Amino acid sequence: MESNSTKIAKIATRMAICDRKEEEELKRLYKNENIQVTAVNIGGNINTSIGKILESALVAAKRNNLIREEHLHEGAVIGATRDAIMQIYNRASNQNIGGKIGIARGGEHISVCIFLNIGLLHLDEVVIGIGHRSLPL
């Protein structure tokens, strides 16, 4: 049996890898399951974009009512996003990136997934990172 934290992590990953059309369909689907989701595009040089990535994840989570505007909730999103960044940073260091952040919340579980293409001349590297936190309802 799959744990709820695993289920939410898989949904965040699905949100990070889907296209815009799928994203709207998934939002409707998961809303029926009482799971809140959102996604936001990101890009730039990873070294200069970390602050923007953290900010984008936080703003997206607030705008889509995944979290309340309070210290504990905001800290959970920032912490999970930082965990995801740390998983991808060494592969992306000093490189231009483009991709998407997917965020999912079900009950007290929230997951942030970052899916990136890393530009290496004509070769694109692909990398994924994920972070999870628990929040009170």
Side-chain angles (χ1 to χ4, degrees), residues 9-52:
K10 287 179 180 180
I11 293 169
T13 303
R14 192 168 180 193
M15 292 301 295
I17 63 175
C18 72
D19 61 31
R20 280 284 174 213
K21 183 179 176 193
E22 282 180 291
E23 191 178 309
E24 294 307 315
E25 293 170 14
L26 291 173
K27 283 182 180 183
R28 284 190 296 277
L29 172 73
Y30 292 127
K31 186 176 184 178
N32 292 334
E33 294 182 31
N34 213 22
I35 296 169
Q36 300 139 303
V37 296
T38 191
V40 62
N41 293 329
I42 54 174
N45 182 288
I46 188 71
N47 294 351
T48 58
S49 297
I50 291 175
K52 185 67 174 163

Side-chain angles (χ1 to χ4, degrees), residues 2 12 17-18 21 24 28 32 40 54 71-72 85 87 92 95 103 105 110 117 124 132:
E2 182 176 66
I17 63 175
C18 72
K21 183 179 176 193
E24 294 307 315
R28 284 190 296 277
N32 292 334
V40 62
L54 293 168
H71 184 74
L72 184 64
I85 290 169
Q87 293 170 29
Q95 302 292 321
I103 308 172
R105 178 157 187 206
I110 190 162
N117 288 311
D124 278 340
H132 171 267

Side-chain angles (χ1 to χ4, degrees), residues 14-131:
R14 192 168 180 193
M15 292 301 295
I17 63 175
C18 72
D19 61 31
R20 280 284 174 213
K21 183 179 176 193
E22 282 180 291
E23 191 178 309
E24 294 307 315
E25 293 170 14
L26 291 173
K27 283 182 180 183
R28 284 190 296 277
L29 172 73
Y30 292 127
K31 186 176 184 178
N32 292 334
E33 294 182 31
N34 213 22
I35 296 169
Q36 300 139 303
V37 296
T38 191
V40 62
N41 293 329
I42 54 174
N45 182 288
I46 188 71
N47 294 351
T48 58
S49 297
I50 291 175
K52 185 67 174 163
I53 292 169
L54 293 168
E55 180 183 342
S56 294
L58 185 58
V59 168
K62 284 182 186 179
R63 277 192 185 149
N64 292 277
N65 298 314
L66 274 73
I67 61 167
R68 295 190 299 265
E69 196 162 329
E70 56 186 66
H71 184 74
L72 184 64
H73 285 235
E74 292 172 353
V77 171
I78 293 294
T81 305
R82 286 180 54 94
D83 284 352
I85 290 169
M86 295 308 296
Q87 293 170 29
I88 63 172
Y89 186 77
N90 284 338
R91 300 264 305 273
S93 184
N94 291 318
Q95 302 292 321
N96 287 323
I97 54 103
K100 199 165 161 188
I101 303 170
I103 308 172
R105 178 157 187 206
E108 59 188 24
H109 299 281
I110 190 162
S111 287
V112 177
C113 179
I114 300 175
F115 178 76
L116 297 176
N117 288 311
I118 304 167
L120 298 169
L121 302 170
H122 64 284
L123 304 170
D124 278 340
E125 182 71 32
V126 177
V127 66
I128 193 167
I130 194 160

